[in-house]
Amino acid sequence: VEIEIELTTELILEQALPPKLAGNVGAWVEFMGIVREEESQQAIVALEYEAYSPMAEREMRRILEGLGAARPCLYARVIHRTGVVPVGEAAIWMGVAAVHRGEAFALLAEFMNRLKKDVPIWKRRALTPAEWEGARSS
Amino acid sequence: MRILFFAHLKDVTGQREIEWHGSPVDTDGFWRNLLEIHPGLAPFRPSVRLARNGEYVRNDVIFTDSDEVALIPPVSGG
């Protein structure tokens, strides 16, 4: 499986299927994890994510390589936001290409489970409206 | 040795990282030394995983002065 990992503080824009994969790709599965307007039953406007960047990227790659042995896919790309992510925006985007949909769905689901267990990224804090204004102006 | 703190552990220690120098230590020795500097970390030890140079460690690891050791509290990405 060809793997691309990215941590970014920028808005995750719509991602296109890499053209080089056209041909044998029979399935392209995408997932976006969105920041909800509620965290621990509190209304929020944003979440702040923190990452141990070099390890997070290496761990994501290691997990995908491991899962790819049992779930042969052609391509996997993961983009995870860090810093302040407003409600309604994607904290994570993942795309998986495979010959058949079963492997792509499985790889994506299993990766997300492992990410939430092993990848050193944290929801650092939930921001209230006042904190959000402060974060935007700083 | 460079020791990194993340998430709420930065609040507990008031620091992002510290430098520590001494003899090579195993995991127990590492914690013993660290808790002398930051005793407030003690309650978090059961839930914290250690990483050396960007990889989770095994039980038989030995830390040396050239290592970067990260305290990894339970993660919550995605």
Side-chain angles (χ1 to χ4, degrees):
Chain A
V1 55
E2 183 184 341
I3 296 167
E4 290 185 61
I5 306 285
E6 183 182 346
L7 294 172
T8 179
T9 57
E10 304 295 320
L11 177 70
I12 300 173
L13 300 169
E14 188 175 340
Q15 303 289 309
L17 174 67
K20 61 186 172 182
L21 290 177
N24 205 31
V25 172
W28 173 242
V29 176
E30 286 186 16
F31 169 76
M32 289 174 79
I34 311 291
V35 175
R36 287 189 300 268
E37 62 184 1
E38 199 176 274
E39 180 78 5
S40 304
Q41 298 179 317
Q42 298 280 330
I44 65 162
V45 290
L47 284 175
E48 183 177 12
Y49 284 86
E50 177 185 5
Y52 179 18
S53 298
M55 181 174 172
E57 292 180 23
R58 190 180 313 168
E59 194 67 11
M60 284 192 270
R61 182 172 293 276
R62 192 183 66 79
I63 292 168
L64 283 169
E65 286 171 350
L67 293 175
R71 308 286 188 186
C73 292
L74 300 169
Y75 174 77
R77 178 166 166 75
V78 181
I79 306 174
H80 201 302
R81 286 278 293 272
T82 59
V84 174
V85 185
V87 164
E89 292 186 8
I92 186 170
W93 176 93
M94 183 173 185
V96 180
V99 178
H100 303 289
R101 69 185 185 282
E103 289 87 354
F105 278 125
L107 184 83
L108 198 154
E110 290 170 17
F111 174 81
M112 287 304 302
N113 289 338
R114 293 285 301 279
L115 175 122
K116 288 173 176 292
K117 186 166 157 283
D118 291 330
V119 176
I121 298 175
W122 300 270
K123 292 183 179 75
R124 182 76 170 97
R125 60 180 178 143
L127 280 81
T128 64
E131 291 168 329
W132 172 227
E133 285 304 316
R136 284 172 55 142
S137 58
S138 64
Chain B
M1 177 187 308
R2 192 165 160 237
I3 304 174
L4 309 182
F5 306 111
F6 292 98
H8 55 281
L9 302 184
K10 284 196 298 198
D11 301 330
V12 174
T13 62
Q15 294 174 297
R16 289 174 179 272
E17 62 179 80
I18 59 173
E19 284 279 343
W20 183 84
H21 299 282
S23 306
V25 287
D26 62 10
T27 302
D28 282 342
F30 171 85
W31 276 106
R32 203 161 40 244
N33 292 338
L34 183 60
L35 292 179
E36 283 181 14
I37 303 167
H38 287 299
L41 290 171
F44 301 97
R45 180 175 174 178
S47 62
V48 167
R49 298 162 77 183
L50 298 178
R52 184 182 66 163
N53 303 326
E55 290 186 15
Y56 289 113
V57 301
R58 303 186 320 182
N59 288 335
D60 59 354
V61 69
I62 297 293
F63 299 105
T64 68
D65 275 358
S66 60
D67 287 335
E68 176 180 281
V69 183
L71 275 70
I72 310 287
V75 302
S76 52

